[in-house]
Amino acid sequence: MKKIYLLYLVLFGLVLSSCEILLKTANTMVQTNVPLTKNDIAQGLKQALGVSVDTAVFRLNRKDAYFLDQFIKLQLPAETNEVLEYARKIPGLDQKLDEFILQINRSAEDAAASAAPIFKQAILSMNIDDVLAILNGQDNAATQYLQEKTYNQLVELYRPILAQSLKKPFAAGVSADQTWTEITNQWNKFANSFAGDLLKVDPINIQLDEYFTSKALDGVFIKVADQEKEIRNNANARVTDLMKRVFEKK
C-alpha cells in the first residue's frame, strides 16, 4: 500500500512539474507573439547600438587598432602633402614625421577607452519617432542617424579627451604634441627663411586636437557601423532577447 502511495506522489509531482513547464512555455510563446511596440523597437535599436559601441571601443582601445588599419589610420591632412614633401627632405624631420604618425594613432587608441559613455549618452537621447525608418534602413542606418544627430556634440565632448592623449609619451619617449611642436618649429623656421620665401612654401598651422578629434571619431563610427551590420545580418550577434525579436521582425 505504501509503495502505491509513493508511486501516486511521484506521478503527481511529475504532473505538476509538467504543468509548470507547459505554463512557462505558454507564457514565453504569448510574450514572443505580442506585437512589438514602437518603444520596443526603439529600445532594441538602442541595445544594438550600445553593443556595437562597446564592441567597437573594446577593439579600438588596443595597440595598433588604428595604426595598422588602413581604413581608419590617422594621417596628416591632404592639404599638407606638398609641405610634407619638402619637410621630408630636411635632415631629421623625416624620422620625426614617422614618429608623429605613430604617436597620433597611439593617442587615438588610448582615447577610444573613453568613447563609450559619450556615445551611450547620445544613444539614450535618440528620438523614437525615427526608429522605424532606422530599422528598415541600410545596414548602418542607426549609426548614420547617431552620427548626423550627435556628431557636433560628440566632437566637443571627445576633443578634450583626445587632447590629453596627445600629451602622453606613447612612442620614442615623447608625446605627439611634443613631436609636432618640434616639426612645426623646424619647418616654420625654414618656411620663413629666405630659401622658404624663394620656394614659396607656407608655414604649418594645424590644431592637433581639433583635426584629429574628428578623424578619430570617424574611425569609431566606421567600427560601430561594422558591428551594427553584424547584428542585423548575424543572429548570433544579437545578445539580448529584445534585439533578437526586433531584428527577426524586420
Side-chain angles (χ1 to χ4, degrees), residues 78-115:
E79 57 266 28
T80 65
N81 286 346
E82 186 177 359
V83 173
L84 295 178
E85 185 179 347
Y86 280 109
R88 286 194 177 278
K89 296 175 182 177
I90 298 176
L93 273 187
D94 190 57
Q95 181 181 350
K96 287 292 181 185
L97 286 167
D98 290 337
E99 289 175 1
F100 176 70
I101 295 299
L102 175 61
Q103 288 163 342
I104 58 175
N105 282 278
R106 289 285 182 266
S107 298
E109 291 156 7
D110 176 68
S114 302

Side-chain angles (χ1 to χ4, degrees), residues 52 56 60 65 69 72 218-228:
S52 298
L60 288 174
D69 189 327
I72 63 172
D218 287 347
V220 177
F221 277 115
I222 287 171
K223 295 307 178 183
V224 171
D226 287 345
Q227 296 307 313
E228 180 190 348

Side-chain angles (χ1 to χ4, degrees), residues 26-69:
N27 286 334
T28 300
M29 290 177 65
V30 169
Q31 290 173 5
T32 302
N33 290 327
V34 171
L36 287 167
T37 66
K38 198 173 184 180
N39 186 63
D40 290 334
I41 295 171
Q43 292 306 313
L45 280 169
K46 289 180 180 182
Q47 287 180 6
L49 270 174
V51 170
S52 298
V53 166
D54 284 340
T55 305
V57 165
F58 174 76
R59 292 179 178 175
L60 288 174
N61 185 223
R62 293 185 294 181
K63 183 179 178 180
D64 290 329
Y66 273 89
F67 187 66
L68 293 184
D69 189 327

Side-chain angles (χ1 to χ4, degrees), residues 55-220:
T55 305
V57 165
F58 174 76
R59 292 179 178 175
L60 288 174
N61 185 223
R62 293 185 294 181
K63 183 179 178 180
D64 290 329
Y66 273 89
F67 187 66
L68 293 184
D69 189 327
Q70 295 307 309
F71 290 104
I72 63 172
K73 182 178 181 178
L74 302 188
Q75 301 281 5
L76 285 167
E79 57 266 28
T80 65
N81 286 346
E82 186 177 359
V83 173
L84 295 178
E85 185 179 347
Y86 280 109
R88 286 194 177 278
K89 296 175 182 177
I90 298 176
L93 273 187
D94 190 57
Q95 181 181 350
K96 287 292 181 185
L97 286 167
D98 290 337
E99 289 175 1
F100 176 70
I101 295 299
L102 175 61
Q103 288 163 342
I104 58 175
N105 282 278
R106 289 285 182 266
S107 298
E109 291 156 7
D110 176 68
S114 302
I118 296 174
F119 273 74
K120 286 185 176 180
Q121 184 58 45
I123 291 168
L124 289 174
S125 64
M126 286 176 67
N127 187 342
I128 66 171
D129 290 335
D130 294 325
V131 293
L132 287 176
I134 291 172
L135 181 65
N136 297 310
Q138 299 176 349
D139 284 341
N140 64 343
T143 306
Q144 284 184 338
Y145 172 88
L146 184 64
Q147 188 168 7
E148 290 169 3
K149 298 292 184 180
T150 65
Y151 189 79
N152 291 336
Q153 177 190 5
L154 286 168
V155 167
E156 291 305 310
L157 292 170
Y158 200 59
R159 185 173 175 177
I161 294 170
L162 186 64
Q164 287 300 313
S165 291
L166 289 169
K167 291 179 171 61
K168 297 180 182 179
F170 288 118
V174 294
S175 69
D177 269 346
Q178 289 172 298
T179 301
W180 187 241
T181 298
E182 288 181 41
I183 290 171
T184 54
N185 284 346
Q186 193 169 346
W187 171 256
N188 290 344
K189 183 178 179 180
F190 166 70
N192 293 320
S193 69
F194 179 73
D197 188 52
L198 283 176
L199 292 169
K200 300 187 183 303
V201 296
D202 297 318
I204 299 175
N205 295 298
I206 298 174
Q207 296 298 316
L208 286 189
D209 58 340
E210 182 177 351
Y211 175 75
F212 291 115
T213 293
S214 64
K215 291 302 177 184
L217 278 176
D218 287 347
V220 177

